[in-house]
Amino acid sequence: METAIKNYEDVDSWKTIIFLYTSALKEVGTKLEILNDEFQHVHKYNPIEHIKTRVKTPESIVKKLRKSNHEISIENMVKYVNDIAGVRLICSFTSDIYRLAEMIGNQSDLKVLSIKDYIKNPKESGYKSYHMLVSVPIFLSDSVVDTKVEIQIRTIAMDFWASLEHKIYYKFEGKAPEYISRELRECAEMVSSLDDKMLSLNEAILQCLEEQEEAKKAAKKQLNNRVEM
């Protein structure tokens, strides 16, 4: 590139835009892996089960712009399509979702642009997930470009439901019969109940292990007292 890129407005090359979004995914992906490794080091537990990344296809970007009645241009693509670069974090428990969101928000070189909590406020379809739109600085040889990345955080159960919903609505082109939509909403309720039960079970297990550890310490202390006597 001959001239310094300071803003998206200066970028008129499709390949350059995709390069920026791909680089942003690498930056965010590395940060998340480090956070996960640190959590394992400190707490002996990995909150992240899987990390999925993707850059939206040109066809999907054009379709989204047309759906929102925007002219097809690179400027509009960057301005109105916030999920061109996407990261999906899959967790075991709902408590992990908010813990990860807080950890991501505390990163000094990530700027949180917006948050959509579809867990506390599910979509009408039953969809649940936690969405964060962040910007990450991409350091080039002659400039820095802040690039948007959408981060979705959800449990394994939420991801299973969302994947099936996407496939079903894709087949019906967004116009699924009402009875199918109703069944999907009922499944979403079952998924929510399952997540609640699994979280409750995990908390009970942790409490049980903590009590066992306390009992071991008490027994060891009692044995040491006897030896001293």
Side-chain angles (χ1 to χ4, degrees):
M1 291 176 290
E2 297 179 356
T3 57
I5 300 173
K6 296 180 181 179
N7 298 296
Y8 278 120
E9 288 75 10
D10 300 318
V11 183
D12 58 3
S13 165
W14 170 263
K15 289 184 179 180
T16 302
I17 283 289
I18 296 304
F19 163 74
L20 289 171
Y21 281 116
T22 302
S23 300
L25 282 182
K26 291 179 181 178
E27 288 281 349
V28 173
T30 299
K31 291 178 184 299
L32 294 173
E33 288 176 0
I34 292 173
L35 284 175
N36 201 39
D37 291 344
E38 180 199 12
F39 208 88
Q40 169 66 30
H41 175 69
V42 176
H43 302 286
K44 311 301 179 187
Y45 170 69
N46 289 329
I48 302 175
E49 291 284 346
H50 306 289
I51 299 177
K52 301 177 183 178
T53 63
R54 67 101 183 94
V55 174
K56 230 174 179 40
T57 64
E59 294 79 10
S60 295
I61 295 171
V62 169
K63 185 177 180 180
K64 196 159 189 177
L65 283 173
R66 284 175 176 167
K67 188 176 180 180
S68 54
N69 296 318
H70 291 299
E71 182 183 347
I72 309 303
S73 67
I74 289 180
E75 182 181 357
N76 285 344
M77 177 183 89
V78 172
K79 185 176 181 180
Y80 297 111
V81 185
N82 290 326
D83 61 343
I84 295 176
V87 179
R88 186 172 299 157
L89 302 183
I90 312 301
C91 309
S92 296
F93 309 105
T94 51
S95 58
D96 293 331
I97 293 174
Y98 294 101
R99 186 178 297 154
L100 280 169
E102 182 180 5
M103 292 164 65
I104 293 169
N106 288 335
Q107 296 289 298
S108 60
D109 53 350
L110 282 183
K111 182 180 180 181
V112 178
L113 303 177
S114 66
I115 291 175
K116 294 181 180 179
D117 190 344
Y118 294 117
I119 298 173
K120 292 180 178 177
N121 302 290
K123 291 186 178 181
E124 186 178 349
S125 64
Y127 174 85
K128 284 189 172 186
S129 187
Y130 191 94
H131 292 195
M132 300 179 73
L133 181 63
V134 304
S135 67
V136 57
I138 302 302
F139 292 85
L140 305 176
S141 60
D142 56 358
S143 59
V144 180
V145 182
D146 287 323
T147 307
K148 292 184 291 186
V149 176
E150 183 188 64
I151 303 175
Q152 298 180 357
I153 317 175
R154 58 179 70 151
T155 63
I156 297 171
M158 291 176 191
D159 189 57
F160 173 65
W161 183 92
S163 296
L164 288 181
E165 186 218 24
H166 178 75
K167 290 177 182 178
I168 290 172
Y169 277 97
Y170 181 80
K171 290 178 180 178
F172 288 101
E173 296 183 346
K175 299 178 181 179
E178 174 55 32
Y179 78 92
I180 290 181
S181 298
R182 184 175 62 253
E183 291 285 343
L184 277 172
R185 287 193 293 270
E186 291 178 4
C187 287
E189 292 175 2
M190 294 168 64
V191 165
S192 181
S193 177
L194 175 61
D195 271 335
D196 290 343
K197 288 184 178 180
M198 293 302 290
L199 176 60
S200 178
L201 178 59
N202 183 60
E203 290 173 346
I205 290 171
L206 293 176
Q207 179 65 31
C208 183
L209 292 174
E210 185 178 337
E211 291 174 356
Q212 289 179 358
E213 187 64 28
E214 290 297 324
K216 287 180 182 179
K217 290 180 179 179
K220 184 177 181 180
K221 184 177 180 180
Q222 187 177 22
L223 179 61
N224 290 337
N225 290 336
R226 288 180 181 177
V227 171
E228 290 175 1
M229 289 176 63

